[in-house]
Amino acid sequence: MSRNPRYDILFEPVRIGPVTAPNRFYCTPHALGTGNMMPHTRAAMREVRAEGGWGVVNTGYCSIHPSSDDAPLPNCRLWDDEDIRVHAMMVDAVHRHGALAGVELWHGGSGTGNRLTRMPQMSASGISSDSTYPGWINLTRSRPMDKQDIREFRRWHVDAAKRARSAGFNIVYIYAGMNFGPYQFLLPWLNKRTDEYGGSLQNRTRLTREIVEDMKEAVGQDCAIALRFSTDELLKVPSQAMESEAHEIISMLSEVPDLWDVKSSSWVRETASARFTEQGAQEPINSFVKPLTTKPVVGVGRFTSPDAMVSQVKRGILDLIGAARPSIADPFLPSKINEGREDEIRECIGCNICVSGYHDCVPVRCTQNPTMGEEWRRKWHPERIAAGDPDTSVLIVGAGPAGLECARALGQRGFAVTLAEARDELGGRVTIESTLPGLATWARVRDYRTNLIQAMGNVDIYRGSLLSAQDVIDFECDHAVIATGAGWTREILSTDGYAISGFGSDRVFTPDQVFAGAEPEGPVLIYDFDHYYMGGCLAELLRQRGCEVTIVTPANAVSAWTFMNNESVNIRERMIELGINTVFEQFLTGFKNGSAELTSIYADRSVSSRDCGSLLIVGIRQANDELFQELNSDADRLADAGVRSLRSIGDCRAPGAIAHAVYSGHECARTIDAGDSVTPIAWERPRLSL
Ligand SMILES: Cc1cc2nc3c(=O)[nH]c(=O)nc-3n(C[C@H](O)[C@H](O)[C@H](O)COP(=O)(O)O)c2cc1C
Ligand code: SF4
């Protein structure tokens, strides 16, 4: 297939200072959870993007000095020459495919904890930003930088830039955004200096200008110097000369960097999930930049649609289409557009599981792309997979996210695949949950896979086919894979925090009953100890239906886990906006005659009651594994039928998030002909020379 001419503009080269990006597809800096500690994993994660057609592939934030240490979060670093080799490995991998490699030099100022290096934080005026998440609260305050500090601060950028050039990078960033070092000088509420670095906007901009100019002088012959800058906060600061200080800063520094990379100042807002923002949501804070500079501008906005990308370029908003999550979900997105295979793009669903991986300090994973983070360790390529035996038959029971991914990948491998689904529609929980408020994009998990499977001659799909164990036996397949999902239980928590059986009243519901059409009578009390999206989404749904809703949880926040994927603030705001009541730090210990008994999680175990029409328990999911258990209990029966292996996958094996189910289905497809070996083959670890 050939490229749709409509998208030609996306494949135009873009000059960036002394280098040229081969096209407009630009992986903005994003940390992938490896830091410098896992150089092979890191290089392989970046290499697949270059191979997949991204013209520029950047590192994540890269510390320039031990006084900027984000441990335990896994940032990379260029502290001394020893660090160069790690980066060179990634740069070489990116260059192998003709892409440019960029590095985001970063000093966090007061925005770091320096837990590893134990150095005091430093900032423009010793004012520290606040955090309410215990893991991010710093017990130390930053110290104001004196002139010597500023000189060193500049020198560290230059030294790191020279090391970056030695590693082979083509683009070197200064990060003057998101509440980090140089940005703190720009903000009038963080910069109270009275010297030439404080006061007027010209003075507050001085350090950023100096660093860009220093870096240009040091490495500007070979490397483009990019400036990552946050606009939204400064757009709100009035200026006498222009509409805002953001306008004025861009105008003052207009031609100083070789590239402007503009985005929001908040990690939560810039990575807002699809539940809360649409594709292109950052346009209002980006669109003012291009008219103020002749230098190329890159911006982000969870871009997965080539038409939306073309529109950004044609309307003069952006020159380069920046992406983090879309490139995680589909490292081959540019190649697919280039080859006229747009309908094969594995579109990011905006769930932010990747963000949670970074917060977990491990290589990030992705709901849509199960190979993410496994490129080196398990040698999983996002597009290629070893061919299988076309005469080997596999029966997959259940077409939810695990079953669909297993069928897709086995189909790609060439096996003779049969996929049987009890319901008439495919997708399982994804189809159901994508009807919840804000989760429509989740249907992409189903659509990407069904679209590919339906075109495969070696995959047969049977809908409305509820199979018994005997049906599986009678099918006489070589391999049977059971992917029958999981269901929500009525279990609640004891006051010790362990699951116990719940309540049998007909006023007590589970999410599955609501999905099946039950309409709990209001007011509804949702007891949520699942802590992810389900409790909050059902609260929204029931509120939309006009019910009064209260969420009770033993945690101290609604959907408490969602701090990890950057959704918690937005969820809390949505609850407030919709008038959904919240009661924290309470166990549900009784439910009788429309009254719920709540017991404090604290030692006094104080008890209170709450009237409600219905109780909806959102807590524990249990595998629907009866079919698997029956088959698994009789090895002879399987052997007699010629079934060589039986596996359960996804929620049927262990209930989890959709990401876990997709991964499990993919893993099964990769390893079905490799015995039972599902253990990763290589662990990255420090090697000591003895
Ligand atoms: C897992 C993850 C890690 C990120 N790490 C960084 C980082 O190290 N430095 C940075 O400037 N931005 C970082 N970002 C922000 C992205 O560069 C980008 O601005 C943001 O994700 C919005 O783009 P998107 O909608 O294409 O994902 C990160 C984003 C993600 C999802
Ligand atoms: S984990 Fe979710 S948000 Fe992140 S890249 Fe994958 S699909 Fe997109």
Side-chain angles (χ1 to χ4, degrees):
M1 276 184 282
S2 58
R3 182 165 87 208
N4 184 332
R6 203 162 72 230
Y7 305 136
D8 285 353
I9 197 169
L10 299 174
F11 293 88
E12 290 171 354
V14 179
R15 184 95 191 145
I16 311 174
V19 299
T20 301
N23 57 40
R24 297 184 190 270
F25 294 94
Y26 190 103
C27 281
T28 50
H30 55 284
L32 290 177
T34 59
N36 278 29
M37 299 301 287
M38 302 171 109
H40 296 91
T41 305
R42 174 172 183 262
M45 280 168 135
R46 307 278 181 202
E47 177 168 11
V48 289
R49 323 285 179 85
E51 188 190 350
W54 296 88
V56 178
V57 177
N58 278 288
T59 62
Y61 64 143
C62 176
S63 171
I64 56 169
H65 188 262
S67 58
S68 176
D69 145 42
D70 219 14
L73 292 170
N75 60 276
C76 56
R77 57 167 203 251
L78 264 173
W79 288 351
D80 56 30
D81 291 355
E82 274 287 294
D83 287 331
I84 294 174
R85 275 192 311 161
V86 168
H87 291 274
M89 183 182 277
M90 175 209 131
V91 172
D92 292 347
V94 168
H95 283 172
R96 271 198 284 279
H97 304 279
L100 300 179
V103 58
E104 185 183 50
L105 300 185
W106 162 78
H107 195 291
S110 65
T112 59
N114 296 351
R115 291 169 173 80
L116 176 67
T117 62
R118 303 182 182 177
M119 296 182 75
Q121 302 105 305
M122 53 170 76
S123 63
S125 301
I127 301 169
S128 296
S129 45
D130 204 5
S131 174
T132 50
Y133 174 63
W136 290 7
I137 294 170
N138 291 329
L139 300 183
T140 51
R141 311 303 289 178
S142 63
R143 66 178 178 81
M145 289 163 73
D146 61 21
K147 289 286 178 55
Q148 176 65 15
D149 292 322
I150 290 180
R151 275 193 293 279
E152 298 208 328
F153 197 80
R154 290 173 58 182
R155 182 173 58 77
W156 298 334
H157 277 89
V158 170
D159 290 348
K162 288 181 180 163
R163 288 182 199 116
R165 180 178 56 186
S166 300
F169 283 109
N170 312 100
I171 300 177
V172 182
Y173 269 77
I174 161 178
Y175 195 176
M178 242 180 76
N179 209 20
F180 292 134
Y183 186 62
Q184 291 161 3
F185 278 75
L186 298 175
L187 300 179
W189 53 93
L190 292 184
N191 183 345
K192 303 288 182 197
R193 300 178 74 93
T194 52
D195 61 7
E196 69 270 32
Y197 290 98
S200 69
L201 187 56
Q202 191 159 20
N203 281 356
R204 282 185 273 129
T205 312
R206 188 179 306 279
L207 180 61
T208 299
R209 176 193 287 274
E210 285 175 346
I211 294 172
V212 177
E213 287 173 348
D214 290 347
M215 294 203 315
K216 261 194 160 169
E217 194 184 322
V219 302
Q221 294 285 322
D222 308 304
C223 308
I225 308 300
L227 175 56
R228 195 159 217 207
F229 174 66
S230 295
T231 55
D232 51 338
E233 287 180 300
L234 286 155
L235 274 170
K236 292 185 202 138
V237 183
S239 105
Q240 287 182 344
M242 301 186 79
E243 282 110 298
S244 74
E245 288 207 344
H247 287 77
E248 216 180 324
I249 291 173
I250 305 260
S251 303
M252 282 161 56
L253 299 181
S254 165
E255 306 302 309
V256 180
D258 295 313
L259 171 78
W260 283 95
D261 180 341
V262 283
K263 65 161 184 173
S264 155
S265 61
S266 145
W267 167 226
V268 166
R269 307 275 174 216
E270 73 163 324
T271 57
S273 70
R275 190 170 160 192
F276 299 99
T277 57
E278 301 285 334
Q279 174 172 228
Q282 296 206 30
E283 188 174 321
I285 62 162
N286 290 349
S287 54
F288 75 100
V289 178
K290 242 186 90 56
L292 300 175
T293 176
T294 66
K295 302 292 179 177
V297 177
V298 59
V300 286
R302 218 175 56 248
F303 293 113
T304 57
S305 148
D307 291 309
M309 299 175 194
V310 168
S311 163
Q312 290 284 314
V313 179
K314 286 203 165 156
R315 288 185 296 117
I317 311 292
L318 302 174
D319 298 295
L320 293 145
I321 303 301
R325 290 166 294 175
S327 72
I328 293 173
D330 196 343
F332 277 63
L333 183 151
S335 295
K336 289 176 183 174
I337 300 173
N338 196 24
E339 292 160 14
R341 296 191 290 130
E342 301 82 68
D343 55 348
E344 292 180 27
I345 294 174
R346 201 166 40 233
E347 283 187 281
C348 167
I349 67 166
C351 63
N352 282 4
I353 282 291
C354 50
V355 171
S356 76
Y358 163 71
H359 284 154
D360 279 333
C361 308
V362 294
V364 306
R365 68 189 306 163
C366 170
T367 298
Q368 276 282 59
N369 175 9
T371 66
M372 183 69 198
E374 301 290 6
E375 301 85 349
W376 180 80
R377 184 169 70 174
R378 304 189 77 165
K379 308 292 175 259
W380 287 1
H381 188 275
E383 297 298 309
R384 290 191 295 275
I385 188 165
D389 173 10
D391 293 328
T392 297
S393 60
V394 185
L395 171 65
I396 303 169
V397 185
L404 279 177
E405 173 59 15
C406 192
R408 186 207 62 76
L410 283 170
Q412 188 187 356
R413 294 192 63 190
F415 287 100
V417 182
T418 302
L419 177 62
E421 165 58 44
R423 295 159 56 101
D424 289 334
E425 69 273 23
L426 305 179
R429 66 181 283 197
V430 164
T431 295
I432 295 168
E433 292 176 17
S434 62
T435 62
L436 285 167
L439 302 191
T441 54
W442 292 26
R444 292 173 177 179
V445 172
R446 174 199 62 207
D447 295 344
Y448 161 72
R449 291 170 176 84
T450 49
N451 179 33
L452 290 175
I453 289 169
Q454 278 162 1
M456 291 175 176
N458 56 330
V459 181
D460 292 328
I461 305 174
Y462 293 91
R463 300 159 193 257
S465 299
L466 179 65
L467 300 195
S468 65
Q470 193 56 46
D471 293 332
V472 175
I473 294 293
D474 292 345
F475 197 78
E476 296 185 348
C477 55
D478 294 309
H479 302 280
V481 178
I482 311 300
T484 41
W488 292 90
T489 71
R490 288 167 172 243
E491 286 181 349
I492 56 168
L493 293 178
S494 72
T495 48
D496 293 324
Y498 297 107
I500 52 172
S501 54
F503 311 104
S505 153
D506 58 5
R507 291 165 74 170
V508 180
F509 297 85
T510 65
D512 289 330
Q513 287 174 288
V514 177
F515 292 137
E519 302 222 353
E521 187 187 313
V524 180
L525 188 149
I526 298 179
Y527 182 49
D528 180 10
F529 57 100
D530 170 61
H531 305 304
Y532 192 14
Y533 56 92
M534 187 56 72
C537 282
L538 285 172
E540 279 188 53
L541 180 77
L542 295 173
R543 195 77 189 100
Q544 280 172 7
R545 290 182 186 170
C547 295
E548 186 187 326
V549 180
T550 300
I551 298 182
V552 175
T553 174
N556 59 8
V558 179
S559 305
W561 180 84
T562 60
F563 174 83
M564 301 304 282
N565 74 341
N566 280 358
E567 284 191 306
S568 58
V569 172
N570 285 323
I571 290 175
R572 184 78 185 117
E573 283 173 1
R574 176 72 53 87
M575 298 297 125
I576 293 168
E577 187 185 304
L578 295 179
I580 292 165
N581 309 309
T582 47
V583 177
F584 300 134
E585 301 172 336
Q586 299 288 324
F587 291 118
L588 174 80
T589 44
F591 182 72
K592 216 175 187 179
N593 301 330
S595 177
E597 180 189 88
L598 307 182
T599 301
S600 165
I601 65 166
Y602 295 112
D604 70 344
R605 298 283 191 243
S606 56
V607 175
S608 60
S609 65
R610 225 165 216 277
D611 292 340
C612 57
S614 318
L615 170 66
L616 174 55
I617 298 174
V618 183
I620 292 173
R621 291 165 69 232
Q622 192 176 331
N624 296 328
D625 62 356
E626 299 80 6
L627 176 63
F628 173 76
Q629 296 300 353
E630 184 181 340
L631 289 165
N632 200 35
S633 65
D634 195 342
D636 293 342
R637 191 179 173 202
L638 288 170
D640 291 347
V643 179
R644 280 157 34 201
S645 80
L646 169 74
R647 287 201 201 172
S648 62
I649 59 171
D651 288 340
C652 171
R653 184 168 179 77
I658 296 168
H660 303 119
V662 171
Y663 182 92
S664 168
H666 190 84
E667 177 182 64
C668 177
R670 291 257 181 190
T671 57
I672 200 149
D673 46 356
D676 283 338
S677 170
V678 291
T679 309
I681 52 174
W683 302 100
E684 200 155 4
R685 66 193 77 184
R687 304 269 170 208
L688 302 179
S689 43
L690 298 173

